[in-house]
Amino acid sequence: MTLSSKLSDPRLFRQYAYVDGKWTHGEGGREEAVFDPATGEALGHIPWLEAHQITAAVDAAEAAFVHWRALRADERCERLLAWYDLLQAHREDLATLMTLEQGKPLPDARGEVEYGASFVRWFAEEGKRTFGETIPSHIPNAALGTIKEPVGIAALITPWNFPLAMITRKAAAAMAAGCTVIVKPAGETPFSALALAELAERAGIPAGVFNVVLGEPAEVSKILCAEDRVKALSFTGSTRVGRLLLEQCANTVKRVSLELGGNAPFIVGPDMDPKEAAFAAVAAKFQTAGQDCLAADRILVHESIHDAFVEHFAERMAALTVGNGLESEVDLGPLIHRQAVEKAAAIVDDAISKGATLVAGDQSQAPGENFFMPVLLTGVTHDMKIWHEESFAPVAGITAYADDDQVIEMANDTEYGLAAYLYTHDIRRIWKVLRALEFGMVSVNSVKMTGPPVPFGGVKHSGLGREGGVTGIDEYLETKYYCLGALGSVSGS
Ligand code: NAD
């Protein structure tokens, strides 16, 4: 059964790049297969564009910028809202596509479509509120102020774990600001990006405003980073690649936004009900099979409730079902590919070899070669890989701590600073720990923390800038200051 036959609208499945409003073949004949991580079957192929075709995308975005930026904000808003409506109308097909190429369970994929679409609606509206300022003048007979203007072409490079929402969170902000965009999705999950392009076209977003280029990642990124006409780069992905791109953007002094890795601590205070906290920790750890920058990677539990917490965690974890995301009642899909499984196994072996206890996790039960059964380790310590590296897998590591000062030190003992979770009802502890955590986002007594109104982003090696919220659009805006002099006598100046 082909992929398109699984969709009620087969035209959402595209095996081309999308440049200047045209579905584009690779001119060099290079193409790559895209696989269903659950079955290992090839879902389809995508072309790898040649260098001059990437440059052609920049030409198209440059030409389209002239007209797109000249539209009124409310006109751009209408087109973005039309795109939002189409995302909603095609939610089921978009979710199916995503589950097939990414592996996440269908309900999670539906949730991501909803989440991704919500950024389009949010920024459609925010585009109408890119206010400048009036500045009380210190110069006689002059009026001073600022105007917000779109930066220009934005290159958007995105990962495979959230194939749709990581694109809309960037593209909608950029497009609402008046920028045109060139999206380079992850090679593992291009079809969600291409479906977005199909729907953007149907929404009346003009040719050249939203482009999707495909190709060898390092080659494509080098061209986009070196292009002087590309004024902003927004990247979500690993810290390793983020550093590389930051360097590559130095020559053209681009605006760079980076959403990089996380290594979230999940802190449980001594006052917590161990069962309630354990169930929350399971939810925070195993979303997207652990392939989530917000995954609770280091679970730090007060020693007084540690054993009870571990018991409830293991019980809850045992109830998780692993399988093909298209099947009902599945909680965890496959990992993205075989290397991810090997990395997860190596992290578990490393921890055990250094003294961690394997409480649960039996890989013989895995339903296929890309699947990894949930693992629970206790006695995790600083010298283990699992402490420092994102496992990006359903591997939970628990560590006991004695007091607040110790847990703050433990939580901050990482190069990452994206998100942290804190479970306690003691308001003094909440305030002390919340302020001391070196993370861009802290969620207290809640697993869910993201959404359009939120400034999403990290500190330390987790990135630069914020996406979403009222400031997310600023990543794509320049502030132009003006001084209107020689006005004669200006009252109040
Ligand atoms: P990745 O860095 O390997 O890839 C991300 C993107 O960069 C993909 O489009 C990929 O094709 C491209 N890329 C890969 N190698 C490249 C190279 N040498 N030069 C230029 N581009 C290259 O990351 P991933 O494995 O796709 O995603 C997982 C990572 O993303 C994790 O570290 C995760 O924490 C992070 N992430 C962060 C957030 C956030 O908002 N902070 C959200 C989701 C994922």
Side-chain angles (χ1 to χ4, degrees):
M1 202 190 227
T2 61
L3 194 159
S4 48
S5 67
K6 295 184 175 144
L7 305 179
S8 57
D9 183 343
R11 283 194 307 146
L12 291 179
F13 174 51
R14 297 290 190 162
Q15 302 185 75
Y16 305 95
Y18 182 73
V19 174
D20 201 12
K22 297 177 196 78
W23 296 103
T24 307
H25 291 282
E27 287 177 10
R30 291 193 294 174
E31 57 173 38
E32 279 286 293
V34 178
F35 297 97
D36 176 346
T39 61
E41 282 165 25
L43 295 168
H45 291 80
I46 49 165
W48 274 15
L49 302 187
E50 299 298 296
H52 72 271
Q53 295 185 282
I54 306 296
T55 305
V58 180
D59 296 341
E62 187 182 33
F65 179 59
V66 176
H67 305 291
W68 185 247
R69 73 170 299 180
L71 290 180
R72 294 191 314 270
D74 62 300
E75 292 173 319
R76 285 195 295 269
C77 171
E78 272 165 28
R79 297 202 189 169
L80 288 168
L81 288 180
W83 196 26
Y84 167 81
D85 288 341
L86 287 166
L87 294 180
Q88 290 290 6
H90 294 278
R91 189 174 77 139
E92 206 50 35
D93 275 352
L94 293 170
T96 302
L97 259 180
M98 192 188 302
T99 293
L100 284 166
E101 66 178 358
Q102 203 282 337
K104 65 180 67 183
L106 207 45
D108 292 4
R110 289 186 190 112
E112 185 181 335
V113 176
E114 189 77 40
Y115 178 63
S118 72
F119 286 104
V120 178
R121 185 166 61 176
W122 174 265
F123 283 115
E125 295 295 339
E126 283 301 292
K128 295 188 289 190
R129 291 187 270 276
T130 56
F131 302 119
E133 289 178 324
T134 300
I135 302 171
S137 180
H138 62 298
I139 301 170
N141 303 325
L144 315 183
T146 61
I147 300 170
K148 295 290 175 83
E149 295 184 337
V151 290
I153 303 171
L156 314 176
I157 302 180
T158 55
W160 47 261
N161 60 342
F162 289 91
L164 189 140
M166 294 303 98
I167 295 176
T168 55
R169 198 165 69 181
K170 298 176 190 304
M175 288 155 67
C179 298
T180 53
V181 305
I182 301 172
V183 180
K184 206 298 281 170
E188 293 86 346
T189 56
F191 295 134
S192 296
L194 296 165
L196 280 174
E198 168 68 25
L199 295 176
E201 184 173 298
R202 291 186 202 176
I205 290 175
V209 173
F210 183 88
N211 304 280
V212 180
V213 296
L214 306 165
E216 203 285 313
E219 275 177 33
V220 175
S221 305
K222 249 188 218 148
I223 296 169
L224 293 173
C225 292
E227 249 298 346
D228 208 18
R229 292 176 296 166
V230 172
K231 298 299 181 193
L233 172 88
S234 179
F235 170 75
T236 297
S238 61
T239 297
R240 180 186 69 82
V241 175
R243 283 193 189 107
L244 213 73
L245 298 179
L246 187 58
E247 260 178 50
Q248 289 177 11
C249 286
N251 270 343
T252 51
V253 197
K254 278 191 211 330
R255 182 80 69 85
V256 179
S257 316
L258 301 173
E259 294 290 347
L260 308 177
N263 185 10
F266 188 103
I267 301 170
V268 183
D271 59 304
M272 280 305 296
D273 169 12
K275 183 173 178 182
E276 181 192 339
F279 281 24
V282 167
K285 173 63 230 183
F286 295 111
Q287 296 175 77
T288 327
Q291 304 171 110
D292 191 326
C293 53
L294 301 181
D297 278 340
R298 293 169 301 137
I299 301 170
L300 310 172
V301 183
H302 192 267
E303 58 192 13
S304 61
I305 58 164
H306 172 271
D307 294 355
F309 179 95
V310 170
E311 212 172 284
H312 290 299
F313 192 102
E315 178 202 327
R316 184 69 162 184
M317 193 180 95
L320 296 173
T321 308
V322 179
N324 187 321
L326 288 180
E327 289 161 13
S328 55
E329 311 295 323
V330 164
D331 300 299
L332 270 67
L335 299 190
I336 191 70
H337 39 47
R338 185 70 204 159
Q339 297 93 291
V341 172
E342 285 161 9
K343 182 182 165 194
I347 279 184
V348 172
D349 290 348
D350 171 80
I352 294 170
S353 75
K354 291 174 181 160
T357 302
L358 177 68
V359 179
D362 177 3
Q363 298 313 320
S364 70
Q365 303 299 311
E369 80 156 8
N370 288 345
F371 289 87
F372 199 80
M373 300 302 288
V375 167
L376 174 56
L377 298 164
T378 55
V380 165
T381 51
H382 163 96
D383 54 328
M384 299 172 186
K385 281 187 183 165
I386 186 174
W387 187 275
H388 296 287
E389 291 179 20
E390 283 183 294
S391 67
F392 244 53
V395 180
I398 299 179
T399 305
Y401 71 88
D403 58 39
D404 292 344
D405 291 332
Q406 187 191 16
V407 82
I408 289 167
E409 199 181 317
M410 284 174 157
N412 289 338
D413 176 27
T414 171
E415 66 173 354
Y416 295 109
L418 186 62
Y421 301 86
L422 173 61
Y423 270 72
T424 174
H425 297 302
D426 178 335
I427 186 68
R428 279 171 303 181
R429 175 174 295 117
I430 290 175
W431 190 241
K432 174 178 174 174
V433 178
L434 168 66
R435 294 303 303 269
L437 286 171
E438 297 163 355
F439 292 84
M441 300 179 285
V442 180
S443 186
V444 181
N445 299 327
S446 178
V447 173
K448 182 172 169 53
M449 67 168 101
T450 63
V454 166
F456 189 104
V459 300
K460 293 162 73 176
H461 295 195
S462 285
L464 294 173
R466 294 291 179 270
E467 293 191 336
V470 292
T471 55
I473 199 164
D474 293 342
E475 306 287 327
Y476 304 97
L477 290 169
E478 291 288 5
T479 298
K480 179 177 281 176
Y481 159 70
Y482 65 81
C483 167
L484 293 180
L487 292 179
S489 176
V490 180
S491 150
S493 67

